[in-house]
Amino acid sequence: MKKISQLLSVAAGVVALAFLSGCSSTQVVTRRGPDPDPIAYRPKNPNNVRIKVSLSKQQVYVMEGDKPLLVAATCVGTPEKPTPKGHFRVTRREKYKRSYTYGFWKKGDDIRPGKSSQPPGPGYTYIGYPMQYWVEFKPTYGFHLGYVWPVPRSHGCLRLHKNVAGKFFELAKEGTPIHIADTQPEDETIGRNVPRPSDYNDPDPPAHVLVSDAAFLHPKGSQLVDY
């Protein structure tokens, strides 16, 4: 049994993995080390912020002009359920979002994983999986906190590590432009040596944690720094 602080950290990072991890049968094992905690800079002019995603590198670049505000690894959709390509804008932000489709059915102490459309019986209440720091750019597609695998693993959303998702959420305002493509010019410059998280294969936390408020991170204050 892990310490409570470790458990809550994993809980925040799971984000629907019981379903989403089924996107790929590839199992990747790497040596565990400290997970990256990149600096995120406060923009001089938030209206000049833009977001770029490289699908081949599985990386996110938040830029203000030529200045990188945040550079981080992400996890993209599988070939069967790909992340959409193109030019978009942030259309909705929700700090404590839960999934409308996948989650748990709860009745008393009985908690069962399932889809919102398939209740196991009378008297059950549906509670969606936590998808904290949701930043939507297309209906049902968005950035959110979750395990960042080194291989495509999601249903098309873009997952961000728990050390990154809150910072990204602060930078991504409604209307912020987003460009998603196979490659980005930054891949060969600031994106050449971006560290990737190693906690993607952590065990899922208990269901009673995922259906509670303990599934969410609650940082105090801004996570951005001035440059």
Side-chain angles (χ1 to χ4, degrees):
M1 180 66 69
K2 293 185 175 183
K3 295 179 181 179
I4 294 299
S5 60
Q6 293 175 307
L7 180 60
L8 298 186
S9 177
V10 173
V14 66
V15 190
L17 284 181
F19 287 94
L20 296 180
S21 62
C23 291
S24 171
S25 60
T26 304
Q27 295 296 316
V28 180
V29 178
T30 63
R31 182 178 296 175
R32 185 66 180 269
D35 288 310
D37 190 4
I39 295 174
Y41 295 98
R42 184 175 291 104
K44 303 293 186 184
N45 184 351
N47 293 329
N48 291 337
V49 174
R50 68 189 189 279
I51 297 164
K52 306 174 81 171
V53 177
S54 171
L55 297 176
S56 62
K57 295 280 285 186
Q58 292 200 96
Q59 291 177 173
V60 174
Y61 310 104
V62 183
M63 308 290 295
E64 183 182 13
D66 295 328
K67 169 69 178 180
L69 302 177
L70 176 64
V71 179
T74 186
C75 185
V76 306
T78 64
E80 296 77 21
K81 297 182 181 295
T83 300
K85 301 178 189 178
H87 293 272
F88 309 93
R89 288 185 180 272
V90 175
T91 55
R92 188 164 66 89
R93 301 164 72 253
E94 189 173 344
K95 191 172 184 179
Y96 300 116
K97 185 183 188 302
R98 288 185 175 272
S99 173
Y100 296 130
T101 305
Y102 300 113
F104 292 97
W105 287 96
K106 184 178 186 299
K107 183 168 73 171
D109 294 330
D110 183 9
I111 306 173
R112 307 181 187 186
K115 298 181 69 173
S116 60
S117 59
Q118 299 173 351
Y124 283 85
T125 299
Y126 171 76
I127 303 173
Y129 275 99
M131 301 175 73
Q132 189 170 5
Y133 296 123
W134 176 258
V135 176
E136 188 171 285
F137 59 88
K138 185 178 180 180
T140 73
Y141 291 96
F143 300 81
H144 64 80
L145 189 154
Y147 283 144
V148 178
W149 285 73
V151 295
R153 188 83 173 184
S154 80
H155 279 169
C157 286
L158 292 153
R159 300 187 198 163
L160 299 170
H161 190 263
K162 63 180 180 290
N163 292 341
V164 173
K167 302 169 185 175
F168 180 87
F169 187 81
E170 281 195 72
L171 291 167
K173 306 301 184 182
E174 285 195 18
T176 298
I178 300 170
H179 179 219
I180 302 174
D182 287 328
T183 63
Q184 297 288 354
E186 289 78 9
D187 291 347
E188 299 305 318
T189 56
I190 59 175
R192 292 189 65 180
N193 297 299
V194 176
R196 300 194 66 88
S198 59
D199 62 350
Y200 52 84
N201 211 16
D202 279 356
D204 292 350
H208 73 269
V209 173
L210 287 176
V211 300
S212 73
D213 186 59
F216 295 109
L217 298 175
H218 298 281
K220 295 181 180 180
S222 174
Q223 299 182 65
L224 307 182
V225 301
D226 293 324
Y227 69 87

